[in-house]
Amino acid sequence: MTPEPSSPPAPSFPISKRFNLPTSNLTLQSSNLVLFKVHRLNLEMHSQVFADAADSTGGPTSENEVVSLSESDSVLELLLQYMYLQPQPDLREVEWEVMKGLAEAVEKYEVYAAMGVCQQRMR
């Protein structure tokens, strides 16, 4: 008897400590492969782009869905804080490249709650 070939194990990616929510129904993956387990409704409520995407798909998608984004984990970590009921991040100590990425993401995803503070920090 020959052993059956087994499939390679699924790659395991690091998961955000802050956004590893047990009741999540969507996983975002950063450009550097960090996973963020979040709630689709939070994204839809705080981002016009995510809301429009939900409207265009017409219905629920798989709870195991992974959406790959072009932003780094540092940027997503900050961006998502504006989409949850929690203290907003203190951006005074954020490195320039991360701040620039956050400002671009806020505009790209139309996260209105973060636009004003990003505009001020970018000055």
Side-chain angles (χ1 to χ4, degrees):
M1 237 188 232
T2 60
E4 291 185 31
S6 62
S7 60
S12 71
F13 299 113
I15 299 173
S16 165
K17 287 181 176 65
R18 182 184 297 259
F19 294 100
N20 185 14
L21 306 167
T23 58
S24 70
N25 58 1
L26 179 66
T27 301
L28 302 178
Q29 185 174 48
S30 68
S31 61
N32 54 334
L33 307 179
V34 175
L35 301 177
F36 294 81
K37 296 179 178 273
V38 297
H39 299 100
R40 180 182 308 277
L41 183 60
N42 280 59
L43 275 59
E44 292 171 7
M45 295 296 294
H46 295 278
S47 164
Q48 188 62 51
V49 171
F50 281 102
D52 290 347
D55 289 343
S56 70
T57 60
T61 56
S62 165
E63 288 192 19
N64 297 325
E65 180 182 9
V66 177
V67 177
S68 296
L69 301 177
S70 61
E71 290 77 23
S72 71
D73 65 316
S74 300
V75 169
L76 289 179
E77 187 84 25
L78 292 169
L79 178 69
L80 291 170
Q81 289 178 59
Y82 287 97
M83 298 182 181
Y84 278 83
L85 187 58
Q86 63 183 30
Q88 295 181 349
D90 181 357
L91 301 177
R92 291 178 291 187
E93 301 297 320
V94 174
E95 296 175 14
W96 168 251
E97 284 302 313
V98 174
M99 188 63 227
K100 180 180 166 214
L102 175 62
E104 290 170 355
V106 162
E107 293 291 326
K108 175 181 175 181
Y109 297 113
E110 298 179 27
V111 181
Y112 300 120
M115 284 184 179
V117 70
C118 284
Q119 287 173 352
Q120 281 198 306
R121 289 300 306 152
M122 293 300 289
R123 287 186 184 155

